[in-house]
Amino acid sequence: MALKIVKGSIDRMFDKNLQDLVRGIRNHKEDEAKYISTCIDEIKQELKQDNIAVKSNAVCKLTYLQMLGYDVSWAAFNIVEVMSSSKFTYKRIGYLAASQCFHESTDVIMLTTNQIRKDLSSPNQYDTGVALTGLSCFVTPDLARDLANDIMTLMSHTKPYIRKKAVLIMYKVFLKYPESLRPAFPRMKEKLEDPDPGVQSAAVNVICELARRNPKNYLSLAPLFFKLMTSSTNNWVLIKIIKLFGALTPLEPRLGKKLIEPLTNLIHSTSAMSLLYECVNTVIAVVWLSVLKYLGLLAMSKILKTHPKSVQSHKDLILQCLDDKDESIRLRALDLLYGMVSKKNLMEIVKKLMLHVDKAEGTTYRDELLTKIIDICSQSNYQYITNFEWYISILVELTRLEGTRHGHLIASQMLDVAIRVKAIRAFAVAQMATLLDNAHLLTGNTQHSGICEVLYAAAWICGEFSEHLEDPMATLEAMLRPKVATLPGHIQAVYVQNAAKLFSTVLCGQEGAPADSKVAQETSQLLIDRLPVFVQSDNLEVQERASCILQLVKYIQKLQQKDVEVAEEVTALFAGELNPVAPKAQKKVPVPEGLDLDAWINEPPSGSESEDEGRKTKGKAVFAREESRHTKPRYTEVDEKELAKRREVRKAEQANNPFYIKASPSSQKVRTASSPNRQLVLWMPMSDQYVKLEEERRQKNKADRKKDKKKRREKGRQRRGDSGPESEEDITPAHMVDIVTEEMPENALPINSSLTSRCITDVCDIQGNLHDGSQVVVSVIFENKCDSFIKSMEFNVMDSLNSKLQRPEGAGPHDSLTVPFHLPPGISSEARFIFSVQSIVMPQKLKGTLTFIVKDSSTHEKLDFKLHFTCTSYLITTPCYSDAYAKLLESGDLKGSSLKLEGINQPFHHLLARICFHHHFSVVERIDSCASMYSRSIQGHHVCLLVKTADQTVSIDAKCDEPGLLRNVLDEIKLTFSQC
Amino acid sequence: MIKFLLMVNKQGQTRLSKYYEQVDIEKRPSLETDVVKRCLSRKKEECSFVEYKDFRLVYRQYAALFIVVGISDTENELSIYELVHNFVEVLDKYFSRVKSKLFFLSSQSELDIMFNLDKVHIIIDEIIQNGHIVETNKNRILAPLLALDKMAEAH
């Protein structure tokens, strides 16, 4: 026996300890696995020995190997053996190994119950401590049940060291064995006021965790926590308490007010960033006061200057602030939006702003919105506008605003865009012609006075670019209506002047055709009939221009009667295109040698004669206005000749002058594929159409340009309901602005015509999954629109915190999904993707890419798109019986909201069908012009609508148990109807 | 709550791991390499928080060692960030008592942790239990360990 002991201790001298193992592994870098397997064999030998020291050493090494990823569960029983050693040095190694290796399904745990109980009641506080620590790692429901009482007793142990640990382990016991909570809770509450801060902090921890799961039951503890918050100095504890209050405040709103003071004190006094962060977090979440909202927006605008990206992600939040009751908050939010726009989001932001313009009450705010829209769009030389048709239609829509002071602002924008964006002129002219035609709507009410400034721009654009007019005669007629005489003087003057320009265009058109002198003469007669009204005007300029032009026309008519072709000469009056010139262009013209700009050209005026002379020459240079006043035809003839001569000179000059921006012949012809040929009715919101067109255009840039346009439009319309993915990639502007800056180069900028032959489109439908409250199925139809075979399509979406694409097990969070088919040319096919969604209260957009290989080119092509998860797509058509419906409404759990739609003139059943179809509702009951509708979200929210209609106005009263969801669904319904 | 605490070196080798939520032993190495890869690939000027799967990582680098803590999203990131430093200061205090120099600035620290794995575990167990912070006072954290050392010396 003695020999055996001696032999054992000699053996031990050659045993490896942990240090030797670590060194050994480091020295065997090449054959680590082999070395470790020999070590494990040794350990197995050691574990077979009776000597507890050897065993504990072996277990210690196993703990290290376990950390390296080796399975040591085979040694579980030996670990229990070491745990039950009476010596603390060994015991702790056993417990350490157990806490690292054991888990609920380790079966030897059953054997430990008595051992642990013995250790818990050990007189040595460290024995107890180590047992508690170990227990927290591997406690099972059985252990929790059996040991709950022992641990509860330890909560009032004399040593704070033990109390602290016992309190904390109780949380795990509660989780595993919930029945223990009720008897243990009073004692737990006592521990909140324990004299030892460590115990106190442990109790706060436990109660905070419990309260987060079920805050209601812990409201009564609020005063106690309040006291702790003001007295505790431990930052970690304070953070927990503040978190707890964050959970309690939604249940007891009065708490919020009480919290402000201590929280602000903490914010001011603490030096710990983490505590500050938690306070601010809670303040934002709980005490969401308007002051803070305002300050937050203010801070954001500061951040925006240096880190624009970080603010841009909060776009939706900022847009929400536009709904705020407080005007100053809304104005702040507007300021922020100004700095946040990019090419990608401009249309979206402006669209939202336009909605607000409609809703806005009070002209000041509405005017502010209007100026902001214009500011946003026009900033840095229209940098963010990719589609000017859209912008023009926005401007036209803005003219609907009643009583705005900013008519001149809209007018100057119209002029600016029409002059500087050559490609847009045809479109702009068409829009302006409609405006002129409907001028009575603008001027009908005296309140509109501010807006009639727009007519100034409209008349000028129609006149100046009259060659784009489809029916110049009609526009001419519209401009000479007697009602025009009620407009302000400066607008009338522009009307008269541009009527003359139009007249020249009309003449041109009429004489170009097989000479029909009668029609031409009738046109002249129209002017002769209508102009006298203006000649009588009390405004000097109107009178002057009108009489001048009247005489000119009369003379022309005389010539016409003699069958003289006058059109060419009349057009010559207004020839020469107006082009943008850089503000400092003049500076670049070198001063000719020998010319002293400061010297007098003529001596200072000595007599009236020379002055008159000078003025006369100036006048002649522009138009033959002064002369035409004289009725003698002789004079006019001379003047026209002279004018022609001058024009020749000017043209020659222009040709030689490198700084004069010439009209490049090609730019006139440039019209983009998407410019629509359809007639637009003025008083409908049109910009949406252009948003749509813009989307199509962006897709078109990728697809074959020669595709049948009509077909695409139809597709666009179909998609409206479920908002398909829009491609976001390379947004090339449809038109370029002539950017006139100091560095303005030679000619106008070329139109960007980079086109790739991309050839795939997809349309998608988003549907909630009935069986799972957090799943949404997106079916995507891929259509191959090119002539080549498309293969290896891969679909990928950037997950957000809220929505995630479900990928097969084992795939990383950024891996793409392979689309399970190839696409021969012209074929379309459907694939389904499942997304998991956490919150369905807010609509959401996910960005994604589709990569694919076109067979011929065998390169990877990429198509970016956006998936728009509207709140509607989370709704599922669910039938509901009227009595159940009534019960639901009576229950009072639902919160209400309402919506008014005006100018809806479709039949009521169409309207209901639309809501049913687009928004997944079902009709519960319908009585005459009133109907109740019901739908359910995938997470079981009830949405009830009461739709009533009375002469073109539809009012929708809605109720839902989730107000956020309801608000978004209503917005979407509103959008559906604003699009029809 | 805290889900796990890792200490890894620059090569991505795990030097210490402590899990407060059961993770299968087979899954641990892949989780650890994944987590470490995330943290190692970040530049010094980038912030110390990483979103990873359904939790967040808070990490700090001390010479050649990274300390990475995985937390649930209800936890306060900055408090964990400060806790890590507190933990390192405790280690510093304990080991520099032995070495009489600043422990964590030396490359020795990695070896010390490996050789004294059980002691580092004792320290962690005093600070964090059950996934929650129990103790932040350095003296109280070290008290049991010092008591143990005294016992060993007496032997």
Side-chain angles (χ1 to χ4, degrees):
Chain A
M1 186 65 197
L3 193 70
K4 210 175 172 187
I5 293 169
V6 172
K7 190 174 174 283
S9 57
I10 290 173
D11 273 351
R12 267 202 72 198
M13 287 172 70
F14 298 103
D15 282 347
K16 287 195 190 83
N17 60 14
L18 178 63
Q19 269 90 331
D20 297 328
L21 177 75
V22 173
R23 278 199 199 101
I25 292 175
R26 284 161 73 86
N27 291 337
H28 290 77
K29 285 221 169 81
E30 283 77 35
D31 50 349
E32 198 182 288
K34 204 177 137 205
Y35 178 76
I36 288 177
S37 74
T38 56
C39 284
I40 289 180
D41 287 342
E42 281 171 25
I43 290 170
K44 279 183 180 160
Q45 288 304 317
E46 285 165 24
L47 286 175
K48 278 183 192 147
Q49 295 189 29
D50 292 333
N51 191 329
I52 193 71
V54 180
K55 266 187 191 167
S56 78
N57 184 40
V59 166
C60 187
K61 285 190 279 183
L62 279 180
T63 315
Y64 183 80
L65 292 177
Q66 196 265 354
M67 185 192 78
L68 294 183
Y70 292 88
D71 185 13
V72 298
S73 53
W74 48 267
F77 186 76
N78 303 100
I79 292 174
V80 176
E81 275 182 317
V82 177
M83 273 166 75
S84 44
S85 154
S86 55
K87 247 191 177 161
F88 179 68
T89 28
Y90 303 141
K91 186 190 286 294
R92 70 174 178 93
I93 287 175
Y95 270 105
L96 172 62
S99 68
Q100 292 289 83
C101 317
F102 287 6
H103 47 90
E104 269 190 38
S105 51
T106 310
D107 37 11
V108 290
I109 285 186
M110 296 176 343
L111 306 175
T112 61
T113 316
N114 277 322
Q115 177 59 40
I116 294 175
R117 182 171 287 148
K118 211 175 105 198
D119 287 338
L120 286 179
S121 52
S122 152
N124 181 347
Q125 62 163 332
Y126 294 115
D127 278 355
T128 318
V130 86
L132 283 171
T133 314
L135 197 57
S136 78
C137 292
F138 54 78
V139 66
T140 62
D142 287 342
L143 276 180
R145 191 193 56 226
D146 296 342
L147 297 174
N149 269 324
D150 302 73
I151 301 171
M152 223 153 80
T153 335
L154 289 179
M155 279 167 71
S156 12
H157 198 272
T158 47
K159 293 258 175 25
Y161 177 73
I162 301 298
R163 288 208 299 274
K164 170 177 83 180
K165 290 195 173 219
V167 165
L168 211 55
I169 185 74
M170 261 334 257
Y171 174 61
K172 201 82 175 232
V173 173
F174 293 154
L175 290 187
K176 299 283 175 191
Y177 179 61
E179 285 86 342
S180 61
L181 179 57
R182 202 166 284 276
F185 191 72
R187 195 168 287 182
M188 184 62 81
K189 206 173 132 187
E190 266 168 39
K191 294 298 133 195
L192 280 177
E193 291 174 296
D194 196 280
D196 182 80
V199 182
Q200 218 177 49
S201 117
V204 168
N205 252 324
V206 173
I207 291 186
C208 285
E209 285 303 310
L210 291 172
R212 249 195 9 191
R213 283 158 190 264
N214 187 5
K216 243 182 214 163
N217 297 349
Y218 300 88
L219 260 180
S220 59
L221 292 180
L224 196 55
F225 276 110
F226 202 81
K227 210 172 90 194
L228 274 179
M229 183 164 79
T230 41
S231 60
S232 176
T233 50
N234 184 331
N235 288 341
W236 281 285
V237 174
L238 279 173
I239 287 171
K240 284 283 173 189
I241 296 176
I242 293 170
K243 256 194 205 308
L244 175 77
F245 276 120
L248 292 182
T249 320
L251 299 167
E252 178 55 69
R254 279 176 300 174
L255 260 180
K257 279 198 184 131
K258 275 199 149 182
L259 278 177
I260 295 176
E261 206 201 312
L263 282 183
T264 19
N265 283 346
L266 279 176
I267 289 175
H268 285 299
S269 60
T270 183
S271 58
M273 282 305 286
S274 52
L275 183 58
L276 187 64
Y277 169 68
E278 193 61 48
C279 290
V280 172
N281 241 349
T282 311
V283 164
I284 290 170
V286 175
V287 205
W288 188 223
L289 289 174
S290 48
V291 180
L292 293 166
K293 221 174 190 177
Y294 181 85
L295 290 177
L297 290 170
L298 199 66
M300 270 194 185
S301 66
K302 278 182 194 152
I303 298 170
L304 188 70
K305 280 175 201 144
T306 45
H307 301 90
K309 283 249 167 73
S310 54
V311 178
Q312 264 165 14
S313 54
H314 301 292
K315 191 185 72 205
D316 291 336
L317 193 73
I318 293 167
L319 281 172
Q320 266 179 29
C321 288
L322 286 179
D323 288 323
D324 202 280
K325 276 177 276 173
D326 187 342
E327 185 165 305
S328 53
I329 287 179
R330 292 195 305 245
L331 292 178
R332 264 284 133 237
L334 272 179
D335 269 355
L336 265 179
L337 281 178
Y338 176 79
M340 279 171 44
V341 285
S342 67
K343 276 185 184 171
K344 282 181 186 174
N345 63 19
L346 174 75
M347 283 188 167
E348 193 195 336
I349 288 181
V350 171
K351 194 173 154 190
K352 293 240 170 82
L353 288 180
M354 291 299 283
L355 285 178
H356 283 285
V357 170
D358 288 340
K359 277 190 272 178
E361 286 161 14
T363 44
T364 346
Y365 177 57
R366 208 163 42 184
D367 278 357
E368 188 61 31
L369 268 173
L370 186 148
T371 41
K372 266 283 132 56
I373 290 178
I374 289 178
D375 277 359
I376 285 173
C377 292
S378 62
Q379 63 176 312
S380 30
N381 272 311
Y382 307 100
Q383 189 191 347
Y384 300 115
I385 296 187
T386 51
N387 185 335
F388 278 97
E389 281 155 6
W390 166 82
Y391 184 46
I392 291 270
S393 51
I394 285 285
L395 287 175
V396 172
E397 252 178 71
L398 285 176
T399 62
R400 282 182 311 164
L401 283 190
E402 286 178 26
T404 176
R405 289 181 290 114
H406 294 296
H408 62 274
L409 204 62
I410 305 178
S412 70
Q413 281 293 301
M414 285 172 169
L415 288 173
D416 201 32
V417 172
I419 295 171
R420 285 167 64 182
V421 190
K422 290 201 181 90
I424 197 71
R425 281 180 192 164
F427 178 77
V429 166
Q431 291 289 310
M432 294 306 128
T434 346
L435 253 185
L436 283 180
D437 200 35
N438 291 299
H440 57 281
L441 291 171
L442 293 180
T443 56
N445 192 331
T446 41
Q447 272 191 343
H448 290 281
S449 54
I451 203 68
C452 61
E453 289 290 333
V454 173
L455 294 174
Y456 176 94
W460 188 87
I461 291 171
C462 284
E464 186 63 28
F465 305 114
S466 52
E467 69 268 22
H468 297 296
L469 272 177
E470 271 180 25
D471 187 1
M473 193 58 205
T475 310
L476 181 61
E477 203 272 331
M479 279 169 71
L480 291 172
R481 280 180 200 148
K483 201 112 203 247
V484 174
T486 60
L487 290 172
H490 65 286
I491 299 179
Q492 282 186 54
V494 169
Y495 262 68
V496 171
Q497 186 70 27
N498 286 286
K501 290 184 198 166
L502 267 178
F503 173 61
S504 76
T505 321
V506 172
L507 276 189
C508 230
Q510 283 166 347
E511 282 186 4
D516 191 347
S517 60
K518 217 172 179 186
V519 182
Q521 279 184 41
E522 268 170 25
T523 317
S524 311
Q525 193 56 47
L526 176 77
L527 257 76
I528 293 169
D529 289 346
R530 298 278 177 88
L531 280 175
V533 185
F534 298 102
V535 176
Q536 288 159 13
S537 167
D538 56 356
N539 185 301
L540 187 66
E541 194 165 2
V542 181
Q543 188 198 27
E544 196 176 359
R545 290 188 190 207
S547 61
C548 172
I549 287 161
L550 183 61
Q551 294 314 319
L552 179 68
V553 175
K554 276 184 183 162
Y555 173 66
I556 289 167
Q557 200 187 28
K558 235 178 247 171
L559 286 177
Q560 282 174 329
Q561 279 158 2
K562 290 178 200 156
D563 275 342
V564 180
E565 296 241 324
V566 287
E568 203 179 320
E569 280 162 16
V570 177
T571 348
L573 274 176
F574 306 107
E577 196 188 345
L578 188 80
N579 275 311
V581 177
K584 292 183 182 166
Q586 183 65 40
K587 272 193 184 161
K588 299 196 176 173
V589 182
V591 180
E593 225 176 299
L595 177 66
D596 183 2
L597 285 175
D598 295 329
W600 290 103
I601 297 173
N602 296 314
E603 282 308 299
S606 52
S608 55
E609 235 177 48
S610 57
E611 199 183 318
D612 274 353
E613 188 68 38
R615 197 182 284 161
K616 210 168 183 182
T617 350
K618 247 192 247 161
K620 271 184 208 162
V622 187
F623 287 120
R625 196 180 302 139
E626 281 177 27
E627 281 73 17
S628 63
R629 189 175 240 177
H630 305 278
T631 41
K632 290 173 193 164
R634 191 163 44 98
Y635 268 95
T636 338
E637 222 175 295
V638 169
D639 266 302
E640 284 201 352
K641 269 181 198 162
E642 197 188 303
L643 258 181
K645 213 167 85 193
R646 282 175 184 279
R647 199 165 299 117
E648 286 297 325
V649 174
R650 198 175 76 212
K651 273 187 182 159
E653 235 171 59
Q654 282 176 15
N656 295 332
N657 186 349
F659 298 103
Y660 193 90
I661 302 159
K662 290 179 284 281
S664 59
S666 63
S667 63
Q668 291 286 341
K669 285 171 207 149
V670 176
R671 299 217 4 190
T672 49
S674 62
S675 56
N677 302 324
R678 45 176 151 167
Q679 203 69 45
L680 294 165
V681 189
L682 180 64
W683 301 106
M684 288 273 287
M686 291 173 300
S687 53
D688 288 347
Q689 279 171 332
Y690 290 97
V691 173
K692 214 75 226 177
L693 280 172
E694 173 69 8
E695 273 168 28
E696 283 166 27
R697 188 185 65 76
R698 286 177 187 177
Q699 278 196 344
K700 226 180 183 59
N701 270 353
K702 298 182 178 66
D704 193 349
R705 186 173 254 201
K706 283 168 192 160
K707 281 280 130 53
D708 185 5
K709 209 191 279 176
K710 254 188 191 164
K711 208 169 145 193
R712 275 182 168 279
R713 283 232 178 94
E714 273 166 24
K715 186 162 271 173
R717 233 171 265 137
Q718 281 171 8
R719 241 196 293 145
R720 191 166 293 164
D722 35 36
S723 57
E726 55 187 276
S727 31
E728 273 281 310
E729 196 197 344
D730 4 293
I731 305 169
T732 49
H735 319 289
M736 303 294 283
V737 196
D738 282 350
I739 298 172
V740 183
T741 57
E742 289 167 60
E743 290 80 31
M744 179 70 183
E746 307 276 86
N747 259 322
L749 297 167
I751 293 293
N752 191 339
S753 62
S754 67
L755 275 180
T756 46
S757 61
R758 297 249 167 81
C759 18
I760 195 155
T761 58
D762 38 16
V763 176
C764 82
D765 181 19
I766 300 172
Q767 276 262 314
N769 187 336
L770 249 180
H771 309 294
D772 191 333
S774 59
Q775 277 193 355
V776 171
V777 179
V778 177
S779 12
V780 183
I781 298 171
F782 297 90
E783 186 179 0
N784 185 351
K785 295 210 145 197
C786 70
D787 307 330
S788 336
F789 197 82
I790 288 178
K791 58 177 187 176
S792 313
M793 285 189 284
E794 285 191 332
F795 180 91
N796 198 5
V797 171
M798 264 187 16
D799 290 349
S800 69
L801 276 178
N802 191 22
S803 318
K804 293 185 170 69
L805 175 61
Q806 290 206 343
R807 297 172 167 90
E809 217 160 289
H814 301 292
D815 293 356
S816 32
L817 294 184
T818 314
V819 179
F821 45 76
H822 301 308
L823 278 184
I827 299 296
S828 60
S829 193
E830 182 185 320
R832 286 175 171 223
F833 302 96
I834 298 173
F835 286 79
S836 59
V837 180
Q838 276 180 0
S839 160
I840 61 164
V841 175
M842 293 273 287
Q844 208 179 10
K845 272 187 184 151
L846 289 188
K847 278 186 190 170
T849 44
L850 181 76
T851 52
F852 54 90
I853 298 179
V854 180
K855 203 165 194 186
D856 301 336
S857 64
S858 75
T859 51
H860 269 285
E861 303 264 349
K862 205 175 117 193
L863 181 67
D864 287 9
F865 59 85
K866 257 190 183 174
L867 284 175
H868 193 161
F869 288 79
T870 55
C871 283
T872 293
S873 48
Y874 302 128
L875 295 183
I876 295 169
T877 317
T878 323
C880 182
Y881 295 108
S882 52
D883 44 354
Y885 188 78
K887 216 172 261 171
L888 194 62
L889 287 180
E890 276 167 18
S891 71
D893 293 336
L894 309 184
K895 294 197 180 65
S897 180
S898 62
L899 173 71
K900 228 178 193 111
L901 302 165
E902 279 174 32
I904 307 280
N905 37 23
Q906 45 191 243
F908 190 57
H909 64 273
H910 276 191
L911 183 114
L912 293 184
R914 273 189 102 92
I915 297 180
C916 288
F917 177 74
H918 289 303
H919 299 286
H920 313 158
F921 276 87
S922 63
V923 178
V924 179
E925 208 171 3
R926 186 189 157 185
I927 304 159
D928 299 330
S929 61
C930 182
S932 48
M933 307 179 91
Y934 175 77
S935 183
R936 231 184 122 134
S937 78
I938 51 173
Q939 292 182 358
H941 303 295
H942 306 282
V943 188
C944 305
L945 299 185
L946 184 65
V947 187
K948 279 182 270 186
T949 180
D951 47 48
Q952 303 212 350
T953 310
V954 177
S955 67
I956 299 178
D957 288 311
K959 285 197 165 175
C960 175
D961 36 13
E962 176 53 62
L965 176 71
L966 183 63
R967 201 173 50 240
N968 287 315
V969 169
L970 285 184
D971 281 349
E972 282 159 22
I973 292 180
K974 192 170 177 193
L975 202 63
T976 314
F977 286 97
S978 68
Q979 278 170 347
C980 61
Chain B
M1 69 172 274
I2 299 169
K3 301 205 169 180
F4 59 78
L5 185 143
L6 295 177
M7 288 174 98
V8 276
N9 64 5
K10 269 187 169 169
Q11 288 77 45
Q13 290 162 311
T14 311
R15 289 308 178 211
L16 179 139
S17 68
K18 182 92 192 172
Y19 288 81
Y20 297 97
E21 261 188 2
Q22 170 58 20
V23 177
D24 284 343
I25 181 84
E26 303 89 57
K27 285 186 185 156
R28 286 187 191 190
S30 66
L31 176 85
E32 281 164 22
T33 42
D34 217 23
V35 163
V36 170
K37 224 192 291 164
R38 287 293 175 91
C39 299
L40 286 177
S41 64
R42 290 173 71 82
K43 294 187 193 78
K44 272 218 167 128
E45 64 270 19
E46 288 176 315
C47 80
S48 295
F49 311 119
V50 190
E51 301 265 342
Y52 178 75
K53 288 188 180 163
D54 52 346
F55 51 88
R56 296 205 182 105
L57 304 175
V58 178
Y59 70 90
R60 274 184 109 139
Q61 187 185 356
Y62 292 93
L65 266 185
F66 276 84
I67 298 179
V68 189
V69 186
I71 54 172
S72 65
D73 51 7
T74 52
E75 193 64 66
N76 181 318
E77 296 88 343
L78 282 171
S79 81
I80 299 301
Y81 188 70
E82 284 165 7
L83 179 80
V84 170
H85 193 72
N86 190 42
F87 168 53
V88 167
E89 280 177 352
V90 173
L91 290 180
D92 229 15
K93 192 169 175 182
Y94 178 71
F95 286 102
S96 60
R97 189 183 55 96
V98 187
K99 296 275 181 283
S100 77
K101 64 176 174 185
L102 265 182
F103 167 70
F104 255 93
L105 291 175
S106 64
S107 54
Q108 185 64 28
S109 59
E110 198 181 326
L111 279 179
D112 278 336
I113 287 171
M114 280 156 68
F115 292 154
N116 298 291
L117 195 66
D118 49 341
K119 290 181 179 170
V120 180
H121 268 292
I122 290 176
I123 292 176
I124 294 178
D125 285 343
E126 290 304 313
I127 300 176
I128 307 168
Q129 198 177 358
N130 215 349
H132 294 285
I133 305 168
V134 251
E135 189 56 81
T136 51
N137 180 308
K138 283 169 211 150
N139 293 327
R140 280 208 288 267
I141 291 171
L142 288 178
L145 193 56
L146 296 179
L148 188 71
D149 284 348
K150 262 191 200 137
M151 273 167 69
E153 274 167 29
H155 257 291

